[in-house]
């Protein structure tokens, strides 16, 4: 999880804060986050014997319908949320001078770390996160062990495609830890010139993905 956050939010950070002579090259969209950071994160998790669950929505949904043991849920959730927080802290440390050079009006906002809606409508924002996560997790369930072979690369492309197709409405959190822990890090760590954390919206990228994960896992269980 720290690998995912470090790569993903470094890319997003370069798009918003004052980057000086930094060159983005082809990486001009956060849709590349899936291809780079998620793929690397899944490979790393697989090397340590984990099942590549970088996402509480995956862990909870899988466990609820018998695809993952409940006894392992809390350890996975703890690592996911703490790992995301550590990744955010590393991004803040690495880009600290850039945060100092960028005020909230210029782009130093919570949007570097957490998601937000294009149009603020909590009900439809929740539905957007639910639908996007449903598509993502239902596909994962039909990949089998997605830490093996080229499957982590497929997962990365899947994130990219879901983001391009369904992500423009809310920024496609898909992952409660990836949103909540980073929003918390931005709120409580000493980021210079930062804006607000938009906690009023924070429930959407937490509960929407969990609902999508439960629906996808429930449908998979029904079909099997």
């Amino acid at each position: 999880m720290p690998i995912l956050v470090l790569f993903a939010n470094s890319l997003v950070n370069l798009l918003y804060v004052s980057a000086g002579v930094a060159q983005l090259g082809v990486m001009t969209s956060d849709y590349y986050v899936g291809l780079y950071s998620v793929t690397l994160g899944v490979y790393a998790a697989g090397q340590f014997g984990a099942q590549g669950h970088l996402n509480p929505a995956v862990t909870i949904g899988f466990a609820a319908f018998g695809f993952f043991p409940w006894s392992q849920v809390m350890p996975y959730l703890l690592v996911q949320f703490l790992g995301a927080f550590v990744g955010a802290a590393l991004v803040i440390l690495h880009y600290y001078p850039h945060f100092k050079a960028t005020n909230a009006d210029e782009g130093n906002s919570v949007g570097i770390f957490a998601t937000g809606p294009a149009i603020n409508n909590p009900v439809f924002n929740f539905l957007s996160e639910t639908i996007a996560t449903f598509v993502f997790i239902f596909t994962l369930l039909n990949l089998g062990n997605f830490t093996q072979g080229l499957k982590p690369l497929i997962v990365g492309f899947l994130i990219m495609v879901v983001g391009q197709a369904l992500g423009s409405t809310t920024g496609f959190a898909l992952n409660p830890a990836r949103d909540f822990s980073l929003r918390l890090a931005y709120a409580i760590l000493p980021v210079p010139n930062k804006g607000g954390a938009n906690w009023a919206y924070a429930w959407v990228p937490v509960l929407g993905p969990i609902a999508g994960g439960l629906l996808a896992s429930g449908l998979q269980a029904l079909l099997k």
Side-chain angles (χ1 to χ4, degrees):
M1 194 60 166
I3 294 174
L4 184 155
V5 172
L6 183 60
F7 276 82
N9 284 87
S10 290
L11 170 56
V12 177
N13 194 70
L14 283 172
L15 294 172
Y16 287 95
V17 302
S18 297
V21 297
Q23 299 295 313
L24 291 175
V26 298
M27 295 175 64
T28 55
S29 168
D30 58 0
Y31 296 132
Y32 288 98
V33 166
L35 182 57
Y36 290 92
S37 60
V38 175
T39 298
L40 291 174
V42 173
Y43 270 124
Q47 289 301 308
F48 287 97
Q51 294 191 23
H53 293 198
L54 307 178
N55 186 340
V58 175
T59 304
I60 293 171
F62 279 25
F65 291 92
F67 302 115
F68 185 71
W70 275 107
S71 61
Q72 296 185 36
V73 168
M74 287 308 298
Y76 268 66
L77 294 183
L78 182 63
V79 169
Q80 289 159 356
F81 280 98
L82 286 179
F85 188 92
V86 170
L90 289 173
V91 171
I92 292 169
L93 178 64
H94 188 83
Y95 289 99
Y96 190 84
H98 298 270
F99 285 111
K100 288 188 70 174
T102 312
N103 62 42
D105 293 334
E106 295 171 325
N108 185 356
S109 72
V110 71
I112 297 170
F113 292 92
T115 61
I119 298 174
N120 188 22
N121 186 316
V123 173
F124 282 92
N125 300 151
F126 174 84
L127 288 174
S128 291
E129 286 291 344
T130 300
I131 292 167
T133 310
F134 172 88
V135 172
F136 170 57
I137 294 182
F138 188 72
T139 306
L140 280 186
L141 281 161
N142 288 281
L143 281 178
N145 185 344
F146 47 83
T147 66
Q148 301 297 314
L150 293 177
K151 288 183 181 180
L153 185 61
I154 295 172
V155 175
F157 276 113
L158 174 61
I159 293 278
M160 195 167 98
V161 170
V162 169
Q164 290 174 331
L166 302 171
S168 62
T169 54
T170 61
F172 72 114
L174 297 183
N175 185 330
R178 184 250 175 273
D179 195 281
F180 177 82
S181 292
L182 277 64
R183 194 182 303 270
L184 180 63
Y186 184 78
I188 68 174
L189 294 179
V191 180
N193 302 318
K194 64 183 173 181
N198 193 16
W199 285 110
Y201 178 77
W203 67 273
V204 172
V206 172
L207 298 184
I210 291 174
L214 289 170
L215 288 172
S217 298
L219 178 60
Q220 181 77 0
L222 183 65
L223 294 176
K224 293 292 184 179

